[in-house]
Amino acid sequence: MTVLDATLQRLVEREQARGKVHGLLLHVRSADGRLNFKGAAGAADPDIRFPIASISKMFTAALIVQLCDEGALDLDQRVQSALPGVDLGGLHVVKGVDHGPHLTIRQLLFQTSGLADYYEGGVGRDLIRSKDYAYDLSDVLAWARAGRPFAAPDSGRAHYSDTNFQLLDTVIEAACGMSYGEAVQQRICKTLGLTRTALYDAARDGDGRTLPVWHKDKRLAIPGLLSSMGPDGGIVSDTGDLMTFLRAFTEGRLFRPENTSALHQWRKMQFPLQYGGGLMRFRLPGWMTLWWRSPELIGHSGASGSFAYHAPEPDVFLVGTFNQTDAPKRPFSFMLQVLKAIETHGGRA
């Protein structure tokens, strides 16, 4: 083990020892391959599978961009035209104006639709209470119709809504003629050689070989919910597969390379996060870091404390999970600690 590896392992163990984390995973790799660290602490080993939560949205974004490359979809087409069998009327009414039938794929992908979030509207609360059930798109649309919209479409900022990505799931299935899970396998996993990545399957992932999700000290039994989240939060993977996917996405190996920068059209979301096309951007201002130049992070994280980010300036990739629904913000300070340690060691493995 190198000096930097030992330092990173101590960081992992110290962060897990702070409490409320039953199993912490971290995989860090530099683009040049000189640094390639895998670490774990608590009830986890470095190669165990885990629910990646909203990092799943990056898989959904990759599929949408692929289908646009092929001409099967266009980002600026109306969702209703891609889903003629789904009634979007009354889905998104703001000040008496029904925007549902006019929503575009771009607005869903970039979180600028303003649609009510079905997850925050109830599913998220049920999840942390371990109240389990399955649901489908008809349920999602009913919950969205009953919920309060954030804003009219293209209000000037992003409003995070899982409803957007449930709709994109159906768009993908209609455009490529296969289920979302099959599209992930055929168009992403097969292409990249990912063997441990798939939609959550209770028969496979409830056997102890996949990290269970926790909320504080409660182990959550939520197979129905996880199986229903698919495109917005239902994929299971390990750090090796997730690292391969993150690098391929960042380097434009899943779609035309020029579309990588096209996804980096950032809108303000919740400080200090911005949102692009299925991507988050995180960077702290100097006054919050004692004027240490905080690295920019581009990728995605999830409600369970999962994270998959690229830091462009040091050209380092970071993936892992806290696997705690009460720790969704902890990955950010942790990733900054990791990057600072790498900087201190000059990036040497």
Side-chain angles (χ1 to χ4, degrees):
M1 179 178 286
T2 68
V3 173
L4 179 53
D5 285 346
T7 299
L8 294 178
Q9 181 60 34
R10 284 195 297 271
L11 279 177
V12 171
E13 293 170 358
R14 186 175 68 191
E15 186 68 25
Q16 191 273 332
R18 287 179 55 200
K20 295 185 180 179
V21 180
H22 295 266
L24 177 60
L25 295 171
L26 173 68
H27 186 182
V28 187
R29 182 181 175 92
S30 59
D32 61 15
R34 291 194 302 160
L35 169 63
N36 189 15
F37 167 82
K38 272 190 177 185
D45 68 74
D47 297 316
I48 196 167
R49 289 156 56 94
F50 61 94
I52 71 172
S54 282
I55 300 170
S56 304
K57 291 180 174 68
M58 289 182 66
F59 284 77
T60 304
L63 293 172
I64 288 289
V65 177
Q66 284 180 1
L67 290 165
C68 288
D69 283 351
E70 296 165 12
L73 294 174
D74 186 289
L75 286 181
D76 294 311
Q77 80 178 91
R78 291 183 179 182
V79 179
Q80 188 67 85
S81 71
L83 302 176
V86 179
D87 180 13
L88 300 182
L91 179 63
H92 188 33
V93 180
V94 180
K95 295 182 178 180
V97 178
D98 186 359
H99 298 282
H102 308 289
L103 293 173
T104 66
I105 293 173
R106 183 186 300 276
Q107 289 165 343
L108 302 185
L109 184 63
F110 283 79
Q111 301 275 23
T112 60
S113 71
L115 269 171
D117 184 3
Y118 85 89
Y119 181 85
E120 292 298 334
V123 170
R125 292 193 298 271
D126 290 339
L127 183 146
I128 64 175
R129 292 184 297 179
S130 207
K131 181 180 178 181
D132 191 44
Y133 49 87
Y135 59 88
D136 59 20
L137 181 66
S138 63
D139 297 312
V140 169
L141 297 182
W143 293 329
R145 286 188 173 97
R148 183 176 181 178
F150 290 107
D154 295 326
S155 64
R157 61 178 297 129
H159 296 278
Y160 194 87
S161 174
D162 290 271
T163 308
N164 291 321
F165 280 75
Q166 283 281 326
L167 278 167
L168 288 176
D169 171 353
T170 311
V171 169
I172 290 166
E173 292 181 348
C176 66
M178 63 181 76
S179 72
Y180 178 80
E182 290 170 335
V184 168
Q185 290 302 313
Q186 293 298 316
R187 290 174 161 267
I188 296 178
C189 295
K190 187 175 181 180
T191 299
L192 299 179
L194 310 183
T195 60
R196 308 197 70 208
T197 300
L199 290 188
Y200 180 87
D201 181 336
R204 178 197 63 222
D205 298 311
D207 61 3
R209 289 180 293 178
T210 297
L211 275 181
V213 181
W214 293 76
H215 181 74
K216 297 182 180 179
D217 287 325
K218 180 192 292 183
R219 177 173 171 164
L220 304 181
I222 48 173
L225 291 177
L226 289 176
S227 298
S228 302
M229 289 177 180
D232 57 309
I235 292 176
V236 174
S237 189
D238 67 5
T239 61
D241 268 15
L242 197 53
M243 177 64 73
T244 298
F245 169 77
L246 175 63
R247 294 182 64 200
F249 190 107
T250 301
E251 296 163 2
R253 290 188 277 119
L254 285 169
F255 38 75
R256 292 176 185 168
E258 59 268 27
N259 287 329
T260 302
S261 59
L263 295 175
H264 294 182
Q265 298 175 19
W266 307 111
R267 277 86 168 176
K268 290 182 180 178
M269 197 167 65
Q270 183 179 0
F271 179 83
L273 292 172
Q274 298 174 307
Y275 209 88
L279 290 168
M280 290 178 172
R281 180 178 185 263
F282 173 90
R283 187 167 190 177
L284 292 176
W287 61 266
M288 292 186 70
T289 60
L290 298 179
W291 303 109
W292 172 60
R293 190 176 182 185
S294 172
E296 175 187 39
L297 295 170
I298 297 174
H300 220 294
S301 44
S304 60
S306 56
F307 55 93
Y309 282 92
H310 175 228
E313 192 168 318
D315 212 1
V316 169
F317 300 86
L318 308 96
V319 303
T321 188
F322 282 65
N323 218 49
Q324 293 279 152
T325 61
D326 53 311
K329 297 180 181 179
R330 279 180 70 173
F332 295 104
S333 60
F334 178 58
M335 285 187 288
L336 293 183
Q337 292 177 54
V338 170
L339 290 169
K340 202 162 191 177
I342 294 170
E343 180 183 278
T344 299
H345 285 79
R348 295 185 299 273

